[in-house]
Every structure is written in structure tokens, then in C-alpha cells.
Amino acid sequence: MLAYGLLSWITRSSGDPSLHLFLGLSICVAVTTFVLYAYYRRHPDEKFPVTRLIGWAVAFRICGLIGGPFYEDDFYRYLWDAFRFIQDGTPYGLPPEAFFNDVNVPDQFQRILNGINYPELPTIYGPVTQLVFLGGYGLSPGSVTTLQALMLLFDLMTIGLLLRLAPARVVLLYAWSPLVVKEIAFTAHPDGVAVFLVLAAVVLV
């Protein structure tokens, strides 16, 4: 919690953390998680408390929600795609650079547009992901925090599904993974949506 809290504070106050600091904190979290996993694997009669597993998983992700994205700017594309979806009924077709001189683009989305990488390329994200982006727009247009919250909810539902398929001590490896927390909670990456839907299909089968 201290490691994620520090990351959250740095990203809010001074932008991207140094790579060495980020890797150091991630290794500390990962080692702690693997040590706990190893202990409970050696003591299978001791059940890892599910409430503690979920409680800390939520706490770690809230740090990401407060902190915000670092090391990447893909979220600008997510926000822009949702805007285009609302305006034109589809996010597909025209690349972002086609709107650089469009006076009809609101100032908020002009700033988002200016942050998009590879603006000469149309969006690459699939329809289901676009619907999630659209949901974020419906709640709060142009808000990366809202997108983070949506991705976080999908991620927590994934943990719930994993608990249907494996014991808590194994689910720990996903629920407390620093890579998952960074990419989904901090950075709002939509990969967790696909993971959730695939796992949901497995559980339903």
C-alpha cells in the first residue's frame, strides 16, 4: 500500500516517476506477493482470507485511480474515440489528424486530440472496447479518471470470476500483481475488459 501510495503521490505531484523507482517499488510488491503465495502453498490447510485478498486489491487500485496514468498516453485515444462515437455515430474511419484544424472540436477535446500518438492512424480498438469508452463519455466526457474507474470495475469482476475457478492463494498472484495494478488501475488500459469477458465465458461453460 505504501508503494502504490507513493506512486500515486508522485504521478499527481510531479508526473512520471523515475524508472528505477518504479521498478524498485514493483519488485518490492511482487516479492511480497510471491512470498505470501509460497507460504500458503506450503500450508494448504491454511486458507488465505478472501476478504483480505479483495480488500487490499481494492485499496491498491484506488491508489491507481487517484494517481493517474504514467509512462504512456494511450488514454487520449480512448477519450477521443468516445467523442467521435458521440459526434458521428462511429469512432472508425477518419484519423485524428483530420480534425486538427476543425473549429467545431471543443477546447477540452482539442487538448485531448493534441495528445494522441500516431494521429495519422485511425483507431485500432474493437467495437466492445469502444462501447466501454462510450460508457465513460456518458458518465463524464473527456475524463480519464472515469475511464480508470470503469476499467477498475471490470478488473475487480475478473478477480471475482477467478475466485470461482481457483483458490484465493492462487488468485492472489493476479489480484496483487503490480503489472495489473499499473496497467489497469493507473493507466486505464482496456485489456482487462477482454480478460473479463473470456473468463466469464469460461465460468458460464
Side-chain angles (χ1 to χ4, degrees), residues 31-130:
V31 167
T32 303
T33 303
F34 277 112
V35 166
L36 276 172
Y37 169 72
Y39 172 83
Y40 280 96
R41 188 178 180 185
R42 285 197 301 269
H43 301 83
D45 294 335
E46 274 190 70
K47 290 186 177 181
F48 191 89
V50 174
T51 53
R52 193 169 296 176
L53 170 79
I54 296 173
W56 284 113
V58 170
F60 300 156
R61 284 156 176 78
I62 288 174
C63 287
L65 189 64
I66 294 170
F70 60 94
Y71 292 160
E72 52 190 287
D73 52 15
D74 290 347
F75 62 92
Y76 288 117
R77 174 77 72 162
Y78 313 155
L79 299 174
W80 176 254
D81 281 2
F83 172 73
R84 287 267 292 112
F85 207 149
I86 286 292
Q87 295 299 307
D88 301 328
T90 176
Y92 299 110
L94 294 173
E97 70 174 7
F99 298 87
F100 280 161
N101 298 315
D102 190 337
V103 295
N104 295 315
V105 175
D107 289 343
Q108 178 189 17
F109 283 93
Q110 192 65 58
R111 290 190 295 272
I112 289 169
L113 178 59
N114 292 338
I116 296 174
N117 57 31
Y118 301 106
E120 70 279 7
L121 300 178
T123 186
I124 61 169
Y125 297 100
V128 174
T129 308
Q130 296 290 355

Side-chain angles (χ1 to χ4, degrees), residues 6 9 16 34 38 41 45 54 65 74 97 119 137 144 153 158 162 191 193:
L6 179 58
W9 177 76
D16 292 352
F34 277 112
R41 188 178 180 185
D45 294 335
I54 296 173
L65 189 64
D74 290 347
E97 70 174 7
Y137 185 99
V144 67
L153 287 174
T158 295
L162 286 171
D191 307 63
V193 176

